[in-house]
């Protein structure tokens, strides 16, 4: 059995990275797969994962993705030692690197099934993170990022999916921007996050922030539709200081600005 952990404090994006990495690696090695604390899974209201075994992590060996910190910044990426873990091990880490699971997107698309959502091609989905992001100058994406991104997509209508409707209304005040104010993407308000995730999954055009929430739905869209467009912030989590804070969050289908 190879297993992962649904940490209570992790967001949907982080939880899904752990799940797809564990299951990809387990199936390639011929192991069973399981997850600890399935009650913490935050997408359960809109995503039904295929069956897996619930495990107690205390009964297993432990392996953690190597954390690399430079000047206090976590620069971890693909850890090759993940490929040598033995059976009966719980693995843990961020697992954002495409090298862990990118070759398996066809199967991942089957695992992460959600109800389809029709998003017209004349509409671009925008992810906007405010809240705690707004208090961190290096992390918060200013309006200039979104303004530049809008020039690179065809649609003239925009749905702004946000955890901070108040700030979003201040930043996106033009009439072509629809603020999806009641669909939260914050860690604490997750009852309606299915609409946000599905919108990102099925829209042809998207502009995303440096948030793990949007990565997998957009990669699955690109896997399905080579003409999909995703604008993402260059220097992930460090665009404002022109420094890659999460180098593992570079995905070739995305257009980085």
């Amino acid at each position: 059995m190879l297993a992962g952990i649904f940490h209570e404090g992790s967001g949907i994006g982080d939880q899904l990275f752990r799940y797809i990495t564990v299951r990809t690696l387990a199936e390639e090695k011929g192991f069973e797969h399981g997850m600890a604390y399935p009650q913490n899974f935050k997408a359960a209201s809109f995503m039904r994962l295929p069956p897996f075994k619930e495990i107690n992590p205390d009964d297993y060996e432990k392996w953690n993705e190597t954390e690399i910190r430079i000047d206090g910044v976590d620069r971890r990426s693909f850890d090759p030692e993940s490929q040598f873990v033995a059976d009966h091990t719980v693995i843990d880490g961020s697992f954002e690197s495409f090298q862990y699971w990118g070759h398996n997107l066809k199967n991942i698309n089957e695992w992460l099934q959600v109800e389809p959502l029709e998003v017209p091609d004349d509409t671009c989905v925008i992810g906007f993170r405010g809240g705690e992001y707004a208090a961190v100058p290096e992390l918060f994406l200013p309006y200039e990022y979104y303004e530049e991104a809008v020039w690179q997509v065809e649609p003239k209508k925009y749905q702004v999916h946000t955890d901070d409707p108040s700030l979003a209304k201040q930043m996106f005040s033009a009439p072509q921007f629809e603020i999806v104010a009641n669909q939260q993407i914050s860690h604490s308000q997750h009852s309606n996050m299915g609409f946000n995730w599905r919108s990102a999954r099925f829209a042809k055009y998207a502009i995303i922030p440096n948030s793990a929430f949007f990565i997998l739905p957009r990669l699955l869209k690109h896997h399905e539709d080579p003409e999909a467009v995703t604008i993402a912030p260059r220097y992930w989590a460090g665009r404002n200081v022109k420094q890659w804070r999460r180098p593992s969050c570079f995905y070739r289908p995305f257009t980085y600005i």
Side-chain angles (χ1 to χ4, degrees):
M1 173 81 72
L2 196 66
I5 303 174
F6 284 139
H7 293 286
E8 184 176 7
S10 296
I12 288 176
D14 297 325
Q15 290 182 338
L16 290 177
F17 282 133
R18 291 181 173 91
Y19 173 74
I20 66 173
T21 299
V22 164
R23 184 162 183 182
T24 294
L25 191 56
E27 293 190 356
E28 290 174 349
K29 287 179 169 291
F31 300 159
E32 292 184 281
H33 72 282
M35 296 296 296
Y37 315 123
Q39 69 275 11
N40 293 334
F41 183 49
K42 294 180 178 176
S45 63
F46 66 92
M47 181 185 296
R48 297 288 184 265
L49 296 182
F52 55 80
K53 291 189 177 181
E54 181 180 353
I55 65 102
N56 181 349
D58 294 334
D59 297 334
Y60 288 73
E61 297 295 323
K62 308 295 191 301
W63 180 87
N64 291 317
E65 181 184 41
T66 300
E67 184 173 316
I68 301 173
R69 287 195 173 271
I70 301 175
D71 297 330
V73 177
D74 186 357
R75 305 288 182 86
R76 80 180 79 182
S77 191
F78 175 70
D79 188 339
E81 285 299 310
S82 62
Q83 308 305 296
F84 298 94
V85 295
D87 200 0
H88 205 72
T89 302
V90 170
I91 68 173
D92 201 9
S94 64
F95 302 129
E96 294 172 329
S97 173
F98 198 79
Q99 286 182 264
Y100 287 116
W101 39 260
H103 58 287
N104 202 30
L105 284 176
K106 180 179 179 180
N107 288 328
I108 291 168
N109 191 37
E110 293 298 318
W111 302 342
L112 308 187
Q113 286 291 312
V114 295
E115 183 180 354
L117 181 69
E118 184 175 347
V119 181
D121 284 351
D122 66 350
T123 299
C124 176
V125 166
I126 294 177
F128 174 70
R129 287 299 302 269
E132 71 271 22
Y133 275 41
V136 184
E138 297 88 350
L139 188 62
F140 180 68
L141 293 169
Y143 181 74
E144 288 73 20
Y145 162 72
Y146 295 97
E147 185 177 42
E148 182 179 351
V150 162
W151 284 102
Q152 301 198 34
V153 295
E154 295 179 8
K156 300 302 180 185
K157 295 192 293 185
Y158 304 90
Q159 280 188 355
V160 182
H161 293 254
T162 180
D163 63 333
D164 193 337
S166 178
L167 184 56
K169 289 176 182 178
Q170 296 177 42
M171 290 189 62
F172 302 94
S173 57
Q176 66 266 33
F177 295 105
E178 175 192 358
I179 308 300
V180 188
N182 295 322
Q183 314 297 331
Q184 303 294 331
I185 63 173
S186 69
H187 292 176
S188 59
Q189 301 289 333
H190 53 84
S191 60
N192 292 317
M193 281 195 288
F195 183 75
N196 303 106
W197 204 93
R198 291 163 60 226
S199 295
R201 168 64 182 85
F202 294 106
K204 182 171 184 176
Y205 299 94
I207 299 168
I208 66 174
N210 31 229
S211 169
F213 181 91
F214 293 94
I215 294 172
L216 280 173
R218 291 311 299 166
L219 287 175
L220 292 176
K221 177 61 178 178
H222 281 271
H223 179 74
E224 174 185 88
D225 180 6
E227 295 184 358
V229 175
T230 301
I231 308 298
R234 187 176 172 185
Y235 310 106
W236 192 274
R239 186 178 189 272
N240 299 335
V241 292
K242 293 183 169 54
Q243 183 182 68
W244 279 94
R245 296 295 178 89
R246 303 291 288 190
S248 58
C249 294
F250 176 81
Y251 308 100
R252 292 192 181 278
F254 296 173
T255 300
Y256 289 85
I257 63 171

